[in-house]
Amino acid sequence: MGTQEQHTRFSPTKAAISLDFAEHLKYSLDADEFHNTDITRYTALAYAIRDRIIHQWHKSRETQRETGSKRVYYLSLEFLMGRAMTNNIINLGLENEVKDAMADLGYAYEELAEVEPDAGLGNGGLGRLAACFLDSLATLDIPSYGYGIRYNYGIFKQQVRNGWQTEQPDNWLRHGNPWEIAREDIIFTVGFGGEVRTLRESGRDQYTWISADQVQGVAYDMPIVGYGGKTVNTLRLWSAKATDEFNFQEFNEGDYVEAVRSKILAENLSQVLYPNDTLYMGKELRLKQQYFFVACSLADIVRRFKRQETSWKELPKFAAIQLNDTHPSLAIPELMRILIDLEHLEWEEAWDITVRTMGYTNHTLMPEALEKWPLTMLESILPRHLQIIFEINHRFLQHAVSFFPLRPQAIERLSIVEEGPSKQIRMANLSIIGSHSTNGVAELHSRLLTERMFPEFSVVFPDRFNNKTNGITQRRWLLDANPLLASKISEAIGDGWITDYERIKDLEPFAEDANFRTDFLTIKQKAKEHAVEFIKKDCGLILRPDSMFDVQVKRIHEYKRQLLNALNIILLYQRIKEGRIQDFSPTTFIFGGKAAPGYVNAKLIIKLINNIAKVINDDSAVRELISVHFLPNYRVTMAERLIPATDLSEQISTAGFEASGTGNMKFMCNGALTIGTMDGATVEMAEEVGRQHMFIFGHSADEIERMRAQYDPYEWITRDPEIRKVMDLFLSGYFNVMEPHIFDPLRQSLLNEDRYFHFADLRSYADSHDEATFLYTNNKDAWAKKAILNIAASGKFSSDRTIMEYANDIWKTRRVPIDRDQSASSTLKAARKK
Ligand code: KUQ
């Protein structure tokens, strides 16, 4: 140890971290030489870091309480956090000290960090957006809580066997979680089922919901450290627990085992994340999850508000509740129930408070993602909430008819209740009616939201609709994920961009600086080598770092058109086989992403990519020029390695279908060029950097809409001989010789019922791709110039900007700066019995 100590500088912080690490190893974990494993070492370091968070965490809560600040409550069924350790260390500003402290003891901090499992409590963009928002809220000193579910199993682990996706459970809590604190004292009881009793009391109906079953929710808190280590906010996740007096009746009747069994059933509620992205499944357990976390969160918010000892009409001055899609929309009837049934407010006043407190974010236009619960299901699980929803609907429609006196179809579309053989409750309608703000997540999406999805609502509530273009946190996605590029940028323009991302535009002149361009390319090369190493360790695949990295990583979905990419690869394959290719430097096509386990076509797309990969990678005449890889188990941690290494970012959804996209932004700020359609936030990226610095192709959202009725894939195929050959090869079974007919459903959806217009865009995609390849092959320097211009133009896409817009326009919240305080002298005093 003594000899290694000489390698690092003396610093009291470093010395304290070493000691705390050693003490946690010994006293918290009893890890002697026989038990000192990579997990105990990781855990001990996490504890040592956590010790440096707790005091500011306490101080943040205390300051926010004492100043009577308005808090933001972000309700989300998903928080795709990834790892916490390196992010927390960087935000605390302790990176060098931790590195040195570990080096002194003979450990590489980077290796310890690799032990941490991802907190994969989300599916894709919607869940990762929630995580980026928490980082920005804390960094911007906005008092806020994330509320969600502490799933015991996050998004499944994806394996690929013979080209097919298989799912493995993600038991992320197996070795404990040093980043959470169980708050056994913060526990609420949630009811389900039963009946509503009505009592006439002093001229007013009093409703009492007598639930049949109860489950408890226990709070588990994770600290959210803002950059600079000042504000530390809370992500509060609820874990389901059977009530202590579980099933007394069965117990007393002697069926002890049956009673324990039903106890375990109650705890199912927080067991597993539903793995569907942009797809709704009307499962009863999912509805129960939604109500479970909404009820716990609102009880907690109400408890905190009651400390103010002020009147209920002040609630919107102390709380802004943001609904991340409709998943938490039961918050609307739940708040009404609390105010009316428990607090005895009149309907009108309760409704005014509810609407002023709630905000709703819509994330998709896809009809199959819209949540609709069968009325009968709601009635049996939440009878009182259904009554309240009916009353909300009744009053709303009375108001709305005056806007559409002679249009019953308009009223039908506005109604929360969808009529039909089995009635359904439309949660998006409830959310718009029950909140003062409905926002989309990119300009195009917000426009289509009012024009196509909810034209009638935008007549009734013209002032409620607004746009909040998504963003990402530059701290995780640039500073943390790409340290070499981050320090190069800071060297050029200073480090103000870390907390003020608009400053990134100061990088623009460096596009003209030849040395900077060379350095940029060197850094990109290093990032590739780093990614290649990670991928080799992670899944055993060997990639060529001296090739162009062409990357499409995101959930597998037909609208995202991984098939378009695959068809273009087949086209290139044929050109190479026929010796028709020129100006082509070796390209590695990289795919990654999970398919919902029940989404047959998405799983087939994975299989097709893997089969194409096999044909190409096994063919020595081709693989020198192109290789194809599907990387299993794409997740936040893999994205952090892969995105900095990317040359060309694939954002090729059918225009009008990707609400925003956020991967597009992560690639942009890491100096990838984008090949993409005018969809989602990619439109705004083109606005910021200029179309000429991207590879934009394909039909616009409006053109797609106009084409819908007459689109005929055969027309597009027959008119283009090269595309025809691509289809002939695919249909001949060339990629599934030993597996006849497996791709029939894909052929069917491409040729007979394609909602995503693959062939209408394939020619312009292929041409655009050629342009990209041509530039990359013949003029790396011009490529680097464009990449730097893209980074410099990415200032808009920080989640700091997004959060400031939410704070100013929707939440009306202010920053509450927290002093950073090193002393913890009050510790003993706080521990003393009161
Ligand atoms: C729906 N809808 C049900 C889980 C997720 C869902 C269950 O949100 C991102 C956008 C992206 C959009 C995604 C989304 N996820 C919509 C979902 O598809 O375009 O960037 C964050 O707004």
Side-chain angles (χ1 to χ4, degrees), residues 366-385:
M366 308 248 293
E368 63 266 43
L370 290 187
E371 290 191 300
K372 296 170 186 178
W373 295 106
L375 195 148
T376 49
M377 197 189 284
L378 269 178
E379 188 168 38
S380 68
I381 297 174
L382 299 167
R384 178 61 183 139
H385 295 77

Side-chain angles (χ1 to χ4, degrees), residues 14 43 73 84 102 112 128 142 195 206 231 254 285 294 311 328 371 438 448 487 499 505 511 540 630 732:
K14 179 195 79 174
T43 307
Y73 297 108
M102 291 299 102
L112 291 187
R128 183 55 230 177
I142 297 175
E195 57 179 39
Q206 168 68 37
T231 292
L285 182 63
V294 159
S311 81
E371 290 191 300
T438 294
L448 298 178
S487 32
T499 51
K505 71 167 175 290
F630 184 90
S732 75

Side-chain angles (χ1 to χ4, degrees), residues 17 64 134 175 186 226 257 271 284 307 327 341 358 370 395 406 429 456 467 501 504 558 613 660 714 799:
I17 291 171
Q64 294 166 4
L134 295 183
H175 303 295
I186 300 184
V257 170
Q271 278 302 326
E284 184 169 301
R307 288 199 304 234
H327 315 152
D341 296 359
M358 300 288 171
L370 290 187
R395 289 170 183 248
L406 295 169
N429 295 37
E456 296 84 5
N467 173 249
Y501 199 58
I504 200 75
E558 286 164 290
S660 163
Y714 290 94
S799 46

